Every structure is written in C-alpha cells, then in structure tokens.
Amino acid sequence: MDEDYHQADILLAKGQRQQALQHYNAFIDNWKAEYDASGVIINADKLAMAYNNRGQLHYLNVDFYLAIEDYTQAIKYDQDFAVAYYNRGQIHYRLASYQLAINDLQHALTIEPNFQDAKLNLVQARRDLELQLQGKSSSDVITTTN
C-alpha cells in the first residue's frame, strides 16, 4: 500500500499524471487506519496528502468538482492542512464562488499566517466578490494611468 503512495509521488514529480492518479487511487482505496493506544488515528496525514495530491491531478485535468471532493477529504483527515484549504479555495475562486474561496483562504491563513499566496489570493477574492455583488466582473474594471 505504501508502495502505491511512493510510486504515485514519483510519477507525479515526473509529470506522469495518469499513472500517478492510478497509484493514488490504489493507495486511497486500500488505506487502513492505524490507531495509537488512545484510539487516535496515527497515519491519517499520509492519507490527507494522497487526497490533496489526487485533488491536484483532478485540478490539472480540469475536473474541478472531483478536486474539491478530494481537498475536502484531505481536510477531513487533517484539519490543519493549510495547503488543502488553499487549493480548495483556488477552485472555488475559479468557479466564481468567491465567498467559499474567501472562507477557505481565511482558514488557510488561520493555520499558516505567513502563507503569502493565500494572502494575495484572499485580497483578489474579496475584490471580485465585491464586484460580483455590484453586478460587475473584474474585466469590467479598467485601470488608467496619468
């Protein structure tokens, strides 16, 4: 099972997305929870990372809703996974669901206050939400210089 995870990471790094997706699928499908003495799952972080990485592959394949599902699962297994919140927020932004994007980006920043990309994208999402509420889009706003 761990071999599927490692193989998926290698294939992802090589840009072999379809093969990586198959190995992440196998890892996720065969994952079994391991518990410590107090009943806490101790190997959930790897599952969260596998969901996040598979979500990235779905994103690259423009399967946004599958990506959102995987990022949500990653967050389920690791509530402090700032990158998964950021990634899900980015997709919500791409789908013009600005408030959902803002919520996720804020959550990412709560976890990692110095997450620069999240800070920048939060500013843009807030601007675009304001424009959306005004019935405009960012392409309607023209900036001129004097």
Side-chain angles (χ1 to χ4, degrees), residues 3-142:
E3 181 58 33
D4 280 312
Y5 180 86
H6 295 297
Q7 189 64 31
D9 282 350
I10 291 166
L11 292 165
L12 180 61
K14 290 181 178 180
Q16 297 175 1
R17 297 190 321 217
Q18 202 54 39
Q19 296 91 334
L21 184 62
Q22 291 170 356
H23 283 278
Y24 283 126
N25 287 341
F27 175 80
I28 290 167
D29 291 345
N30 295 311
W31 182 82
K32 302 276 189 279
E34 296 173 11
Y35 300 90
D36 67 11
S38 63
V40 175
I41 297 175
I42 58 174
N43 63 337
D45 57 334
K46 191 177 281 188
L47 181 62
M49 184 62 77
Y51 272 117
N52 182 74
N53 292 352
R54 189 174 78 173
Q56 183 67 19
L57 290 167
H58 289 313
Y59 172 80
L60 292 171
N61 290 330
V62 195
D63 292 327
F64 294 145
Y65 295 102
L66 288 176
I68 288 171
E69 288 177 23
D70 276 352
Y71 294 137
T72 301
Q73 287 299 312
I75 292 164
K76 174 183 171 184
Y77 287 100
D78 183 355
Q79 287 100 28
D80 293 326
F81 198 172
V83 170
Y85 282 102
Y86 171 81
N87 288 339
R88 189 174 68 179
Q90 289 303 101
I91 295 175
H92 286 309
Y93 179 85
R94 295 264 324 253
L95 296 172
S97 297
Y98 301 123
Q99 188 59 60
L100 292 174
I102 290 166
N103 295 346
D104 278 342
L105 294 168
Q106 286 176 326
H107 204 104
L109 287 166
T110 299
I111 298 165
E112 287 186 31
N114 295 321
F115 195 157
Q116 280 306 118
D117 287 341
K119 286 180 183 180
L120 295 171
N121 292 334
L122 178 59
V123 169
Q124 188 61 51
R126 286 178 171 154
R127 285 182 189 148
D128 288 343
L129 176 61
E130 185 63 33
L131 291 172
Q132 186 181 58
L133 293 173
Q134 295 171 9
K136 301 176 184 177
S137 72
S138 55
S139 62
D140 294 334
V141 178
I142 299 173

